[in-house]
C-alpha cells in the first residue's frame, strides 16, 4: 500500500532542485527515441543546449517562442484562479490577431504612436469578447465553459478562414488566404537588430508583473481569489460573483487576444490561419506548470520554449525526425509535473499494516 | 428547402451520419466512463491518434484486422494508465495531465511512424474492414444501406453503447463507478478501492477512445496520415456533457453531430455558390453549443469530477 | 467481562505532521454495550475511530475484534474492507453517500462482488426491507440520496452498516444534524438492537443524549484518554470538567425589554427548488434587545428564511424592512451594508474561504472599507494588525492569522465568523445553526456572544434544530413549518415540539 | 565533384502530395550522389524563419522549401545570407542575388485531364474535393474545369473544400455526398476521394502524384508534377557557382518535363485520347496557352 502525505518541511534546495532534476530525467528519457532513431544521445544533448543558448540568435529565438506562451499562460492562469476553465485561448488569440490586422493593415493610417496602442487595445478587446460569450452562456444558462470555449476554438478558426478569403483577404496576396500586412508604423518594434524578438515580450513581462501584483495586493485580486477558492462563501460575503467572473473572463480573453496581437503585429506582419501552432493549448500547460502564478508563468513559458527550440534544433543537427521536438516537450512536461508533485508530497510505502499479535 | 428534404430522406445521408458518428461513439463512451469515475481525460485527442496509428500499423505488420483492434485498444489503455497514474494516486491536475498525454501520445505516434517509415511518399495501405454484406438485412429498403452495410466496427460501437449502459446501470461495478465519481468517500467507506475503480475506469475508457482512432485508419480509411484525427477527440469531450453522462444520449449526440456533418457536406455541394463554405463547416460546432445550452439546465455533473482524492486525508 | 469483550484498541497513536491526534489510546467494548466517546473539538475522537475502521493507519498500536465465536483476533489495519469483514461498521461524521445513487445502491455498494455480471436487486431490497422493519430505521430506497433529508440520509448510513452485518457500530456525531425527535427515535432503535448483541461506540457533543443512552463514557483530551466511567455514575458537570480540564461557566441570561423593530418581514414568499426551501407568506418581526428563536424540523423552510435575511434569496413577494427602511432588491452586499450580521449554517462551505488566510477571511465582508483598501489596493499591514486584534479579542486559536483558514478547527472557524460579524456591531444578527457540531466550550462561547450582542441592542434571529439551545437563549420562540412561521407565545418544550410536528396550533 | 549540401524545409509532413514531389526529386538527387540532403518537415510557419537561419548558419548551400506563409520574412533571411542559395515555392517573384522561386505550374496537364473527365462523364456532373482554397489548388481546378468544358459544354461541377490537408475520412465523405448528388467523375485533389470512387465504382482523376497503381480501373487520368527538372537545374547551378535569383516556375511546365499527363487508355475512348494528345502537342508547341485563374472555384447551380 502506498500513502501520500504533504511534506512537512519543504526545503528551498528541493523547491529549486526538483524541477531541474525532473528536466534532467526528461532528457534521459529522450535518449530512448534518440537511440531508436540511431542517434548518439550525448552528442544530441550538446546540440540541444547549443540550439537554445549557443548564440544570441538562439536565445532570441527562444524568447520569441516564449512570448505568446506568456500571454496565453497568463490568460489561463488568471481564469483558472477563478475556476473559470478557459480552454479557448487558441480561439481568442485569433480574434485578437483578426482585430489587429483589421485596424492595422491600412484601414487607419495613423502615426505609430496612436496606431500601436489602438491595435493592442482592439486586439485585447476582441479576445475579451471571445471569452465574454462563453462566460455569459455559463452564467445565464449554466453551459459548461470547458466545452463552449473548446468548441469556439473550432468555430473561430473556421470563421478566420472565411475572413481570410473574404473581407480580410489581402488584395495583393495573389489569392492566398491571408490578410494584408500591418502598416510598418503599426508593428511592435523589434528589440534587437536582425532578430525576431520584439517588444511584445516586454509587454508580456510587464503584464505578468502587473498580474502578480494585482492578484496579491488588490481588492480585485482578493475578490478573484475568493470566488475561485469558494464561490459560495464569496457570494455569501457580498462579493458579486458573476461580476468577478466576467471581469476575469474579459482579462483572460484580453490576454489571449494580446498573444494574437503580439504574434501578428510583432512577428509575422500579416495573418494566416496557421499563425499559432497551438499556443492557446500550450498556455494551459504553462499556467498549470506555474502553479497558476503569473511570475511562474514567465518561468514556465521560458522553460517550454527552451525545450522546444533546443530539441527542434537538435533534431536537425542529429538528422532525426523533427517530430522529436514535440516528443521531448511532452516528456519534459510530464516529468516536471511528477517532479512538482514529489516536491510537495512524500510517497510512503508502508506494509499492509498487519497487526503484530 | 426541397433539397434539404431530399437529403434528409436519402438513405445515403443516414448511412453517412452513422459512419461519421462511429469514431465519436467510441470516443464519447470512453470519455463518459472516465468522467463517471470522476476524471476528465483531455488525453482523448492524442489517444485517438495512438489508436489510429497502432491499429493500422499492427495490421500492416500482419496482425490481422481484429489483431489491430486489440493492439489499438491496448495502446489506448497504456496511455490511459499513464493518465490514471498521474491523476489518481498522484492527484495531479487533470487538465494538464490530459493535455500532456495528448501531446505525448501524438508525438510518440508521429515520431514512431516517421522513424519506422522514413521514406514513404504515399502511406502504405492495408485491407480495411469491409461493409458487412448481410444476406437479407442488407437488402432491406432504407434500413439495409443505413444499418446493415456498415462495417463491423460500427456495430461494435453500437454494441458498446449497450454494454456500457448495462455495466453502468445494472452491475455492481457500474454502481461503484458512479459512486466514485460522485463521492469517493462513499466507496472508500464501503471497503472498495477508490484508486482501483478510477484507474480501471480510465484505462477502460481510454481503450475505447483508441478504438475511435482505429476506426479512422481501419474502417473509414485504410492508411495513417498525420493530423487525420483533426479534432474529433475534442468533439467527444463536448458531446459527453451534451449526453449528461448517459450512454443512450451519448449515442444520440454522436449521431446528431454525425448528421450535422453529413448534412454540412451535402449542403455545401448544393449551395456552395451562395454561402461561404465555412458557414457549413461551422454548423456542427455551433449546433453543438446550442444543444449544450439547451441541455445544460439538466446537466448533472459527477460531483467529484476534477477533484483528486487521497486516502487518509481530509 | 473479558469473555464478552468484542473490541479492544491497544495503545493507538497517530500524528498528522506536528499534530498528535491520538496518543497511546486504549479502549475496550463489551457485547451489547453503548460506549460514548467524548471530547472537545479536535480531541481526536474521529481519528481514533478512523483507525479502527481502517481509513487511517496508526503510527503505533493494534486493534482486536471478536470473531463470530467471540474469540478476539487481531484486525489488519489500514483496510476498511477488513474492518467491514470483521463486523465493524462506521457511520461517519460527514456523510459518505453517493448522492446520484439511490439508497439501495448506496447500501449494497461494496457488498456485491464487482465481477458479477448481474445484481440481485430484488434480493437486496427484500433484505434491506427486513432490516428496516427490524431496526425501525426507514428510508426511501428508490430516490437518489441527494434528494433525501439529512435525517433520512443518516438512517441510510446506519442501514449501510447493518446491511454488512455490523456487530460493532461506530456512530460519529450521528445526531448533529437531527431534530430531538429524530435523535430520540434513532437512539430508541439502537437501544433495541443492542439488546440483541450489537455493540455501539458513539461520539456526541450533546450531553443530554450521552447521559440518556450510553452505558459507559470515555473522554479524550488532546489525543489522550483522560477518563472512563459508567454513565450511571456521571453527571454533566463532571463530564465537562473532564473534557475541558476545568469548569465551564454557566450562561446567565437577564430579562430585557425589547426595543424598536430591527427586522420586519411582511408576506415574504420564496419559491425554492423544492417544497423544503420555500417560504410562504411569512411574517416576522424582531426587536432590538431580543433573541428570536426559530424552531422547526429540518427542511421546513429554515434555509429559505436564512437566505432571505442574508440576501442570498430574492423574495418573489413581500417586503423586507431592516431597521425601519425597506430593502428593495436584497443581495448579500446590501444586507451587509444595512447592518445585518450573518452567521451561516454551513461554516465550511459558506462561512470561510478555506484557502485564504484567517486575516483575509476577517475582512472579506468589508472590502470597500477604507481601513481595508485604498484606491483598490489592499492595506496589508492594517489588515494584519486588525486580524491580530480580532483574533485576540475573540480567542481565535490556530496557526496564526496569515495561515489558511482551513487549518482552523471547527470551533475556531466559528469564532472567526463571530469576530467578523460582531466586530461591526450589527443591528440585526442572523445566527443559523450557530453551535452545530461545536463542543461545549465553543458552544457556550457562541451563546455568550449572542447574549452580549442582545445586551448591546441587537436583534437576533436564532435558527436552530437544537430545541435546548433555543429554549436556553431565546426571548421569544416561533416555529417554522412547511414554509410558514407561527408564533408560539411560550417556552413550553412539549407544546413547541408538537407545533414543530404540526399537531397543535 | 564535391556534393552540394541541400536542406529542405516543409510546413507539412512529406506525405503531402505537393511536398512529396520535391522530396522525391531531392531524394533522387541524393541517391545519384549529387547532393547531401537533410530536411525538416511539419515546421510551423512561426518556426520557419528560425529553421531557415539554422540551416544557413550550418553552411547549407541550397535551401529548398515553401514560403507562401512568410514571403517577406523569407526574403529578409535570404538577404542576410547572400552566399546561400534559396529555392522556394512562392507566389511572388525572385529577389537578387540568391532568392529563386518555383511553383507547381501543372495547369497544362490539369487542363488535359479535364478534357478526359468531360468526355467521361455521363451524368454531366463532376465532383471536386479540395483541401483549402489556395491559389495552388484553385488554379489547377480551374484549368481542369476549362478542359472539361472545352469538350462538354453541358458539364456541371460541384466543389467542396474540407479545410484540412489530412483528413481522408472526411474527404471520402465529401466525395460520397457528391456522388449522391450525381457526380460520376471525381477530381481527386485529396487522399480519400479515389477511395470513395472505387467503392462506388465511378471514375477519378488524379492530381500531382500518380495513384493509378493504387486504384486500378478507377483513375482515368492524372496530371503529374515532376520537380526533378527544377531541382536538378538548381543543383547544377549551385554546383557550378552560377545560381542566380530566377523564376524556376517554367520548369514545371510540360515543355520542360515538369508536368505531364498520364492516362489509362483502357478506360478512355480512343477519340478522346486522340483529342487529348492533339491538345498536348499544341501545348508543347506553344500553340495553346492554358488560362490561369487563382480564384476560389464554386459549384455550378
Ligand atoms: N436492476 C434493475 N432491475 C429492474 N429494473 C431496474 C433495475 N435498475 C433500474 N431499473 C429500472 O429500469 C429503468 C431504467 O433505469 P435507469 O434509471 O437506471 O436508466 P437510465 O439512467 O434512464 O438510463 P441511461 O443511463 O441509459 O440514460 C427505470 O425504470 C428503473 O427503475
Ligand atoms: N487527515 C488529517 N490531516 C491532518 N490533520 C488531521 C487529519 N485528521 C485529523 N487531523 C487533526 O487531528 C486532530 C484530531 O482531529 P479529530 O477529527 O480526530 O477530532 P475530533 O475529536 O473528532 O473533533 P470534532 O469534535 O471537531 O469532530 C485535529 O487537530 C485535526 O485537525
Ligand atoms: Mg442512469
Ligand atoms: Mg470528529
Amino acid at each position: 500500500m502506498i500513502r501520500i502525505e504533504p511534506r512537512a518541511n519543504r526545503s528551498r534546495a528541493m523547491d529549486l532542485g526538483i524541477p531541474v532534476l525532473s528536466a534532467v530525467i526528461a532528457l534521459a528519457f529522450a535518449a530512448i527515441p534518440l537511440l531508436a532513431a540511431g542517434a548518439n544521445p550525448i552528442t544530441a544533448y550538446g546540440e540541444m543546449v547549443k540550439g537554445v543558448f549557443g548564440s544570441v540568435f538562439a536565445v532570441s529565438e527562444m524568447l520569441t517562442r516564449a512570448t505568446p506562451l506568456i500571454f496565453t499562460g497568463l490568460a489561463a492562469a488568471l481564469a483558472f484562479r477563478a475556476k473559470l476553465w478557459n480552454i479557448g485561448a487558441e480561439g481568442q488569440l485569433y480574434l485578437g490577431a483578426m482585430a489587429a490586422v483589421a485596424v492595422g493593415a491600412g484601414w487607419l493610417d495613423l502615426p505609430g504612436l496612436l496606431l500601436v496602442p489602438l491595435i493592442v487595445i482592439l486586439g485585447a478587446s476582441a479576445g475579451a469578447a471571445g471569452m465574454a460569450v462563453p462566460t455569459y452562456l455559463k452564467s445565464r444558462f449554466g453551459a459548461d465553459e470547458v466545452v463552449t470555449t473548446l468548441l469556439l476554438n473550432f468555430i473561430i478558426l473556421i470563421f478566420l478562414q472565411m475572413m481570410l478569403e473574404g473581407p480580410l483577404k489581402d488584395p495583393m496576396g495573389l489569392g492566398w488566404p491571408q490578410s494584408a500586412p500591418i502598416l510598418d508604423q503599426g508593428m511592435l518594434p523589434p528589440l534587437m537588430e536582425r532578430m525576431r524578438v520584439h517588444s511584445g515580450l516586454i509587454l508580456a513581462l510587464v503584464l505578468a508583473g502587473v498580474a502578480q501584483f494585482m492578484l496579491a495586493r488588490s481588492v480585485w485580486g482578493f475578490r478573484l481569489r475568493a470566488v475561485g477558492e469558494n464561490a459560495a462563501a464569496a457570494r455569501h460575503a457580498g462579493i458579486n460573483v458573476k461580476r468577478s467572473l466576467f471581469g476575469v473572463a474579459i482579462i483572460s480573453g484580453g490576454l489571449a487576444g494580446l498573444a494574437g496581437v503580439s504574434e501578428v503585429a510583432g512577428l509575422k506582419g500579416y495573418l494566416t490561419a496557421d499563425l499559432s501552432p497551438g499556443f492557446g493549448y500550450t498556455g494551459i500547460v504553462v499556467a498549470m506548470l506555474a502553479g497558476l502564478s503569473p511570475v511562474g508563468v514567465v518561468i514556465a513559458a521560458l522553460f517550454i520554449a527552451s525545450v522546444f527550440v533546443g530539441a527542434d534544433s537538435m533534431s536537425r543537427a542529429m538528422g532525426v525526425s523533427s517530430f522529436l521536438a514535440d516528443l521531448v516537450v511532452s516528456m519534459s512536461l510530464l516529468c516536471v509535473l511528477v517532479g512538482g508533485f514529489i516536491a510537495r508530497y512524500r510517497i510512503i510505502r508502508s506494509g499492509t499494516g498487519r497487526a503484530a499479535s | 428547402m426541397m433539397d434539404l428534404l431530399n437529403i434528409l430522406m436519402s438513405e445515403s445521408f443516414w448511412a453517412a451520419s452513422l459512419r461519421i458518428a462511429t469514431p465519436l461513439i467510441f470516443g464519447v463512451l470512453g470519455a463518459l466512463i472516465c468522467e463517471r469515475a470522476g476524471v476528465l481525460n483531455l488525453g482523448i485527442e492524442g489517444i485517438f491518434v495512438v489508436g489510429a496509428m497502432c491499429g493500422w500499423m499492427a495490421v500492416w505488420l500482419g496482425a490481422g484486422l481484429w489483431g489491430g483492434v486489440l493492439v489499438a485498444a491496448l495502446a489506448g489503455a497504456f496511455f490511459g494508465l499513464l493518465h490514471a497514474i498521474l491523476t489518481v494516486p498522484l492527484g495531479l491536475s487533470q487538465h494538464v495531465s490530459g493535455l500532456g498525454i495528448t501531446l505525448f501520445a501524438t508525438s510518440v505516434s508521429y515520431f514512431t511512424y516517421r522513424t519506422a517509415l522514413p521514406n514513404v511518399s504515399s502511406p502504405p495501405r492495408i485491407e480495411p474492414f469491409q461493409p458487412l454484406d448481410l444476406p437479407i438485412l442488407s437488402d432491406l429498403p432504407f434500413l439495409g444501406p443505413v444499418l446493415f452495410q456498415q462495417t463491423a466496427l460500427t456495430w461494435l460501437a453500437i454494441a458498446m453503447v449497450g454494454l456500457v449502459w448495462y455495466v453502468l446501470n445494472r452491475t455492481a461495478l457500474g454502481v461503484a463507478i458512479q459512486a466514485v465519481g460522485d463521492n469517493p468517500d462513499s466507496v472508500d467507506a464501503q471497503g472498495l478501492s477508490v484508486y482501483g475503480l478510477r484507474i480501471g475506469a480510465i484505462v477502460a475508457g481510454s481503450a475505447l477512445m483508441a478504438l475511435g482512432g482505429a476506426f479512422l485508419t481501419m474502417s473509414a480509411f485504410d492508411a495513417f496520415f498525420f493530423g487525420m484525427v483533426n479534432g474529433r477527440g475534442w468533439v467527444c469531450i463536448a458531446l459527453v456533457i451534451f449526453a449528461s453522462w448517459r450512454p443512450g444520449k451519448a449515442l444520440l449526440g454522436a449521431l446528431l453531430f454525425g448528421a450535422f456533418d453529413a448534412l454540412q457536406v451535402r449542403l455545401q455541394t448544393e449551395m456552395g455558390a451562395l454561402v461561404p463554405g465555412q458557414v457549413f463547416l461551422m454548423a456542427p460546432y455551433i449546433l453543438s453549443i446550442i444543444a449544450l445550452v439547451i441541455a445544460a439546465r439538466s446537466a448533472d455533473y459527477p460531483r467529484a469530477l476534477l477533484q483528486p482524492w487521497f486516502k487518509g486525508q481530509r | 467481562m473479558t469473555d464478552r469483550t468484542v473490541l479492544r484498541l491497544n495503545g493507538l497513536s497517530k500524528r498528522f505532521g506536528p499534530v498528535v491526534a491520538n496518543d497511546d489510546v486504549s479502549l475496550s467494548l463489551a457485547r451489547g454495550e453503548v460506549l460514548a466517546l467524548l471530547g472537545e473539538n479536535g480531541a481526536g475522537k474521529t481519528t481514533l475511530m478512523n483507525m479502527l475502521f481502517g481509513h487511517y493507519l496508526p503510527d503505533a498500536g493494534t486493534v482486536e475484534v471478536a470473531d463470530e465465536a467471540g474469540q478476539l483476533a487481531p484486525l489488519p489495519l489500514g483496510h476498511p474492507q477488513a474492518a467491514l469483514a470483521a463486523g465493524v461498521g462506521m457511520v461517519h461524521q460527514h456523510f459518505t453517500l453517493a448522492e446520484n445513487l439511490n439508497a439501495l445502491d448506496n447500501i449494497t455498494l461494496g457488498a456485491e462482488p464487482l465481477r458479477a455480471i448481474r445484481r440481485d436487486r430484488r434480493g437486496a431490497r427484500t433484505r434491506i426491507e427486513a432490516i428496516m422493519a427490524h431496526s425501525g430505521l426507514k428510508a426511501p430506497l428508490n430516490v437518489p440520496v441527494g434528494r433525501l433529508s439529512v435525517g433520512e440520509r443518516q438512517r441510510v448510513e446506519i442501514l449501510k452498516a447493518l446491511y454488512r452485518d455490523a456487530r460493532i457500530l461506530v456512530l460519529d456525531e450521528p445526531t448533529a444534524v437531527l431534530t430531538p425527535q429524530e435523535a430520540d427515535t434513532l437512539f430508541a432503535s439502537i437501544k433495541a438492537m443492542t439488546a440483541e448483541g450489537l455493540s455501539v461506540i458513539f461520539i456526541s457533543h450533546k450531553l443530554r443524549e450521552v447521559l440518556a443512552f450510553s452505558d459507559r463514557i470515555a473522554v479524550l483530551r488532546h489525543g489522550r484518554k483522560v477518563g472512563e466511567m459508567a454513565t450511571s455514575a456521571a453527571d454533566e458537570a463532571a463530564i465537562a470538567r473532564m473534557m475541558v480540564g476545568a469548569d465551564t461557566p454557566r450562561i446567565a441570561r437577564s430579562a430585557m425589554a425589547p426595543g424598536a423593530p430591527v427586522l420586519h418581514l411582511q408576506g415574504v414568499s420564496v419559491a425554492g427548488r423544492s417544497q423544503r426551501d420555500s417560504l410562504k407568506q411569512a411574517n416576522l418581526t424582531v426587536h432590538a434587545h431580543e433573541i428570536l428563536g426559530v424552531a422547526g424540523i429540518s427542511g421546513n423552510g429554515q434555509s429559505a428564511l436564512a437566505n432571505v435575511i442574508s440576501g442570498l434569496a430574492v423574495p418573489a413577494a413581500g417586503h423586507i424592512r431592516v431597521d425601519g427602511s425597506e430593502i428593495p432588491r436584497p443581495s448579500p452586499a446590501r444586507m451587509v451594508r444595512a447592518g445585518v450580521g450573518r452567521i451561516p449554517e454551513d461554516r465550511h462551505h459558506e462561512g470561510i474561504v478555506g484557502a485564504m488566510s484567517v486575516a483575509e477571511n476577517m475582512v472579506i465582508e468589508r472590502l470597500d472599507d477604507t481601513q481595508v483598501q485604498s484606491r483598490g489596493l489592499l492595506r496589508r499591514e492594517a489588515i494584519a494588525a486588525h486580524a491580530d486584534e480580532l483574533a485576540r479579542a475573540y480567542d481565535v486559536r490556530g496557526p496564526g492569522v496569515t495561515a489558511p483558514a482551513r487549518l482552523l478547527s471547527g470551533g475556531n472557524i466559528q469564532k472567526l465568523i463571530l469576530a467578523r460579524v460582531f466586530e461591526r456591531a450589527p443591528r440585526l444578527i442572523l445566527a443559523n445553526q450557530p453551535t452545530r457540531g461545536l463542543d461545549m466550550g465553543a458552544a457556550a462561547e457562541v451563546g455568550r456572544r449572542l447574549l452580549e450582542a442582545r445586551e448591546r441592542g441587537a436583534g437576533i434571529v436564532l435558527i436552530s434544530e437544537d430545541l435546548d439551545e433555543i429554549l436556553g437563549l431565546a426571548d421569544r420562540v416561533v416555529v417554522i413549518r412547511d414554509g410558514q412561521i407561527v408564533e408560539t407565545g411560550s417556552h413550553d418544550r412539549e407544546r413547541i415540539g408538537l407545533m414543530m410536528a404540526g399537531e397543535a396550533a | 565533384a564535391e556534393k552540394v549540401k541541400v536542406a529542405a524545409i516543409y510546413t507539412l509532413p512529406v506525405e503531402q502530395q505537393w511536398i512529396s514531389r520535391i522530396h522525391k526529386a531531392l531524394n533522387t538527387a541524393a541517391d545519384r550522389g549529387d547532393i547531401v540532403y537533410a530536411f525538416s518537415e511539419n515546421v510551423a510557419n512561426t518556426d520557419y524563419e528560425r529553421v531557415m537561419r539554422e540551416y544557413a548558419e550550418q553552411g547549407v548551400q541550397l535551401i529548398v522549401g515553401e514560403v507562401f506563409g512568410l514571403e517577406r520574412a523569407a526574403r529578409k533571411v535570404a538577404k542576410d545570407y547572400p552566399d546561400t542559395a534559396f529555392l522556394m515555392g512562392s507566389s511572388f517573384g525572385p529577389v537578387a542575388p540568391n532568392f529563386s522561386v518555383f511553383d507547381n505550374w501543372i495547369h497544362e496537364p490539369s487542363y488535359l485531364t479535364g478534357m478526359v473527365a468531360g468526355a467521361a462523364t455521363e451524368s454531366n456532373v463532376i465532383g471536386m474535393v479540395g483541401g483549402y482554397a489556395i491559389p495552388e489548388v484553385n488554379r489547377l481546378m480551374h484549368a481542369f474545369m476549362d478542359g472539361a468544358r472545352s469538350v462538354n459544354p453541358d458539364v456541371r461541377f460541384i466543389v467542396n473544400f474540407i479545410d484540412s490537408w489530412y483528413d481522408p475520412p472526411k474527404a471520402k465523405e465529401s466525395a460520397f455526398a457528391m456522388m449522391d448528388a450525381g457526380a460520376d467523375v471525381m477530381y481527386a485533389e485529396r487522399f480519400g476521394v479515389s477511395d470513395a470512387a472505387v467503392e462506388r465504382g465511378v471514375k477519378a482523376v488524379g492530381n500531382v502524384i500518380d495513384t493509378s497503381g493504387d486504384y486500378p480501373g478507377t483513375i482515368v487520368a492524372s496530371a503529374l508534377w515532376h520537380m526533378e527538372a527544377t531541382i536538378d537545374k538548381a543543383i547544377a547551378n549551385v554546383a557550378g557557382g552560377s545560381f542566380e535569383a530566377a523564376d524556376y516556375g517554367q520548369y514545371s511546365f510540360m515543355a520542360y518535363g515538369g508536368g505531364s499527363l498520364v492516362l489509362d487508355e483502357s478506360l478512355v475512348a480512343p477519340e478522346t485520347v486522340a483529342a487529348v494528345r492533339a491538345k498536348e502537342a499544341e501545348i508543347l508547341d506553344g500553340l495553346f496557352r492554358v488560362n490561369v485563374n487563382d480564384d476560389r472555384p464554386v459549384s455550378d447551380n
Side-chain angles (χ1 to χ4, degrees), chain C residues 4 11 44 92 96 112-113 115 166 208 233 260 266 293 303 329 347 388 399 403 417 447 453 456 467 470-471 500:
Chain C
R4 289 185 56 234
H92 295 79
T96 57
E112 304 161 307
R115 272 175 236 276
R208 198 174 65 88
Q266 192 192 328
S303 41
R329 276 193 30 243
R347 46 187 165 271
D388 277 327
I417 295 169
R456 203 200 62 230
L467 197 49
I470 290 188
L471 294 177
M500 283 163 63

Side-chain angles (χ1 to χ4, degrees), chain B residues 119-137:
Chain B
N119 274 320
V120 294
S121 54
S122 100
R125 289 157 182 269
I126 58 169
E127 189 59 43
F129 279 101
Q130 298 299 324
L132 297 174
D133 222 340
L134 298 177
I136 301 162
L137 294 175

Side-chain angles (χ1 to χ4, degrees), chain A residues 4 85 144 147 288 327 330 341, chain B residues 89-90 93 96 238 241 301 313:
Chain A
I4 286 163
W85 305 109
D144 183 71
V147 180
M288 299 299 298
L327 186 53
S330 64
F341 174 83
Chain B
L90 299 191
S93 154
V96 181
I241 297 179
Y301 269 79
Q313 232 160 280

